[in-house]
Amino acid sequence: MKAEILARLQAARAAKQPVALVTRLTDGLQLLWPQDEAPAPLVDAARTALADDAAQNVEWEGAAWFVHPHNPPLRLIIVGAVHIAQALVPMAQPLGFAVTVVDPRRAWATADRFPGITLIHEWTDDAMAQLAPDSRTAVVTLTHDPKLDDPALDVSLKSAAFYIGALGSRRTHAKRVARLTELGHGPEALARIKSPVGLDIEAVTAAEIGLSIIAEVVAVRRGAALGNRERAPVSA
Amino acid sequence: MSDTSEDILATAAGWVAQGETVALATVVQTWGSSPRPAGSRLAISASGRLAGSVSGGCIEGAVADAAQQTMASGTPQVLSFGVSDEMAWEVGLACGGKVKVFVEKLA
């Protein structure tokens, strides 16, 4: 890999731009798509690779080409700068998540408690609208306070977020479902909310709850059966 | 898949900045059960530093040897590792999978 390609790849990564590294395996010739022009079959493969987040192998003009997608990091948005959030953050980072913590309560969302993490102090609906969750985003609400959790869930349910989890007991969740139903969300949309949040590992401590949540996020992302377990039916 | 492979790139770039000669190995294709998916990277420095992985540890040694050749010659290589279960104790994948690895010099 030429230094020039590496530098541009790193720059795209820093700018959070999706980019595909396309390599001719016979001689190591490389280009970056979409920055560089490429013949149509390679462009198609690059589009697919980025959309599926899966590398592609292509034969073109008698040579084998490798198309390697480099998508921006997955995002984890945590609503509620609480103790569980503090435990969750350092588990999510090595798994490839760029973490943002949202909490208008400045006493909670401090750089002291969340060193190096993007903190947003706006009200949760404004914050979520700004963050615009997409299909590579997971959202977890942890405040236990409907005034903060509900607006964040409302925005998340209107987004393509691949994971939406909400801390709270079944009873809490039933009340939450009733409130969100009043906001116009149907049963199918509400079924997207994982609550009680996290895989059932009988978690007790903040760290264990953090582990159960991030494990569930990974299970959903990877399409594991664990990520689809039946929960007690929710009713409004 | 690209989630952690990019950190290997950053590590490799860091080694280059320190004046090291560095090669990158990338899994380009897998068949059957292989531990690391296409796109997984291993960075190798001339002084023998390693970062990342292209398997569960079974072929890293052979890949690192090939990387030293590529660092010396500048010529990239495509390595194939594929073993049947009975051959699993040779250099290869203990799980019986097959994997193709591209090795290139950072220049």
Side-chain angles (χ1 to χ4, degrees), chain A residues 4-22 30-39 42-43 46-47 50 68-72, chain B residues 6:
Chain A
E4 172 264 332
I5 293 268
L6 177 60
R8 285 200 287 139
L9 184 52
Q10 296 287 76
R13 183 193 170 202
K16 299 195 184 339
Q17 288 163 348
V19 60
L21 174 66
V22 182
Q30 283 173 324
L31 59 89
L32 282 184
W33 187 84
Q35 283 86 340
D36 298 329
E37 281 186 27
L42 297 179
V43 169
R47 281 211 178 91
L50 287 168
H68 190 173
H70 291 73
N71 274 311
Chain B
E6 291 174 346

Side-chain angles (χ1 to χ4, degrees), chain A residues 37-214:
Chain A
E37 281 186 27
L42 297 179
V43 169
D44 288 348
R47 281 211 178 91
T48 307
L50 287 168
D52 297 351
D53 204 24
Q56 307 287 313
N57 284 277
V58 189
E59 285 287 326
W60 189 66
E61 290 200 337
W65 294 75
F66 179 61
V67 181
H68 190 173
H70 291 73
N71 274 311
L74 298 163
R75 286 191 297 164
L76 173 64
I77 302 172
I78 303 174
V79 178
V82 297
H83 189 194
I84 294 169
Q86 285 178 284
L88 182 52
V89 166
M91 294 184 200
Q93 288 172 313
L95 294 168
F97 290 88
V99 183
T100 303
V101 174
V102 176
D103 201 323
R105 302 168 300 180
R106 285 173 184 271
W108 295 83
T110 63
D112 210 29
R113 288 162 55 81
F114 296 91
I117 298 299
T118 307
L119 300 172
I120 299 188
H121 293 119
E122 282 171 57
W123 203 255
T124 54
D125 49 357
D126 289 340
M128 294 303 294
Q130 223 177 82
L131 289 167
D134 57 19
S135 60
R136 294 175 54 80
T137 307
V139 182
V140 183
T141 63
L142 300 176
T143 73
H144 255 150
D145 180 345
K147 287 198 304 297
L148 296 171
D149 282 353
D150 285 6
L153 290 168
D154 182 30
V155 176
S156 301
L157 286 171
K158 293 170 188 158
S159 81
F162 74 88
Y163 178 95
I164 304 172
L167 188 72
S169 67
R170 285 186 173 78
R171 239 183 84 195
T172 306
H173 189 56
K175 289 183 198 159
R176 173 160 50 217
V177 163
R179 292 190 305 271
L180 290 168
T181 301
E182 274 180 39
L183 291 178
H185 297 286
E188 208 166 292
L190 291 165
R192 287 173 66 197
I193 303 177
K194 305 283 189 193
S195 189
V197 73
L199 296 184
D200 186 0
I201 56 170
E202 300 287 347
V204 173
T205 65
E208 289 170 0
I209 296 167
L211 174 65
S212 79
I213 293 172
I214 202 65

Side-chain angles (χ1 to χ4, degrees), chain A residues 1-3 6 9-10 13 21 23 25 27-28 30 53-55 57 66 68-71 74 94-96 136 222, chain B residues 1-7 9-10 12-13 24 26-29 38-41 76 78 100 102 104-107:
Chain A
M1 187 186 296
K2 288 184 184 153
L6 177 60
L9 184 52
Q10 296 287 76
R13 183 193 170 202
L21 174 66
T23 304
L25 295 179
D27 62 357
Q30 283 173 324
D53 204 24
N57 284 277
F66 179 61
H68 190 173
H70 291 73
N71 274 311
L74 298 163
L95 294 168
R136 294 175 54 80
R222 296 300 182 195
Chain B
M1 165 200 57
S2 50
D3 306 342
T4 50
S5 61
E6 291 174 346
D7 296 327
L9 278 185
L24 269 184
T26 307
V27 175
V28 294
Q29 218 166 353
S40 304
R41 283 191 173 110
V78 176
K100 196 160 96 180
F102 178 68
E104 64 189 317
K105 182 180 179 178
L106 274 185

Side-chain angles (χ1 to χ4, degrees), chain B residues 80-84 87 91-93 96-99:
Chain B
S80 288
F81 298 91
V83 288
S84 57
M87 289 285 291
V91 170
L93 297 170
K98 276 167 62 178
V99 59

